[in-house]
Amino acid sequence: MVEIKSDAALDAMREAGRVVADALAAVQDAAAVGVSLLELDEVAHGVLRAAGATSPFLGYRPSFAPVPFPAVICASVNDAVVHGIPGGYRLRDGDLVSIDCGALLDGWAGDSAVSFTVGAARPEDAVLIDTTRRALEAGIAAAVVGNRIGDIAHAIGKVARAGRYGLLEGFGGHGIGRSMHEDPHVPNEGRPGRGYPLRPGLVLALEPMLTAGGRGDYHTDSDGWTLRTTDGSRAAHIEHTVAITEDGPRVLTLR
């Protein structure tokens, strides 16, 4: 079922989104050569605790997962696209890192992700990250009253394919509100004019996941969570929680 949010609910979701934005900013500030992914998770956890928020990631167990997710961030490095479990891996110069984080505050959720490089960036990684950001911006621009889910999907996919990047098969954005994952699903590629109509009060988490090798297939690590590109190419993942309003898209996870 798709839930349409009131203006008061959107304001409450903005506060949850602000916590997510602060956590991601703190993680990116802390990310440096030699820092472990587990240490980055602790940084994010500290921001959530200080804000009185909890994590929708910690303990989350969808049907495909063999175990509950054990952290408050997903930390995916290089060829890991999404759902990376933070562990003892220490960041190296040139790593491409994607961090996904969520927060629950006063009964409402926020969800966002960033991609960045540690140390000296490879030029091709910078282009990949920039294209992923532009794909998200195109999706946000299409998130207006009168459009449909397919218009968002088409806008994201058009930017990705123009850059000759792949899109992770079967994955995309989603509705969000009182829980992290709600209807409707938002593909990262599709046909304009199709799908659920965009109405004021609909809130979506838009999240392009681009792969440098141009393919969308993946394999799952033995942890049952981490998804990696089959060809070993690098990936980027950027996400915002966005509300559809009469005045245009309202991004709820900006800092």
Side-chain angles (χ1 to χ4, degrees), residues 35-219:
V35 175
S36 74
L37 299 181
L38 192 56
E39 288 168 336
L40 296 183
D41 186 68
E42 292 168 353
V43 168
H45 209 163
V47 173
L48 267 60
R49 282 195 299 265
T54 58
S55 170
F57 289 19
L58 185 62
Y60 180 58
R61 188 179 183 183
S63 58
F64 68 80
V67 294
F69 196 78
V72 303
I73 62 171
C74 297
S76 307
V77 180
N78 297 332
D79 65 327
V81 190
V82 289
H83 301 166
I85 295 178
Y89 177 84
R90 295 191 176 276
L91 296 172
R92 301 172 184 173
D93 188 51
D95 276 347
L96 195 168
V97 183
S98 296
I99 303 293
D100 192 355
C101 184
L104 290 170
L105 182 67
D106 296 329
W108 295 99
D111 189 10
S112 185
V114 295
S115 287
F116 56 88
T117 52
V118 175
R122 299 181 183 183
E124 60 269 29
D125 288 346
V127 175
L128 171 61
I129 292 170
D130 181 66
T131 305
T132 307
R133 183 178 298 109
R134 289 191 294 107
L136 175 57
E137 290 170 352
I140 293 171
V144 295
V145 175
N147 274 356
R148 291 177 176 266
I149 292 293
D151 294 296
I152 296 175
H154 177 73
I156 291 172
K158 185 176 179 181
V159 173
R161 298 304 185 187
R164 299 188 176 182
Y165 293 111
L167 291 158
L168 191 66
E169 290 178 357
F171 285 83
H174 49 88
I176 182 171
R178 295 185 183 277
S179 62
M180 179 172 59
H181 290 135
E182 296 181 354
D183 291 331
H185 174 66
V186 187
N188 282 328
E189 193 167 32
R191 297 177 63 182
R194 300 294 184 92
Y196 191 85
L198 305 184
R199 299 165 51 194
L202 177 65
V203 186
L204 305 170
L206 307 182
E207 47 180 328
M209 308 162 206
L210 273 59
T211 64
R215 297 168 53 175
D217 52 336
Y218 61 90
H219 65 87

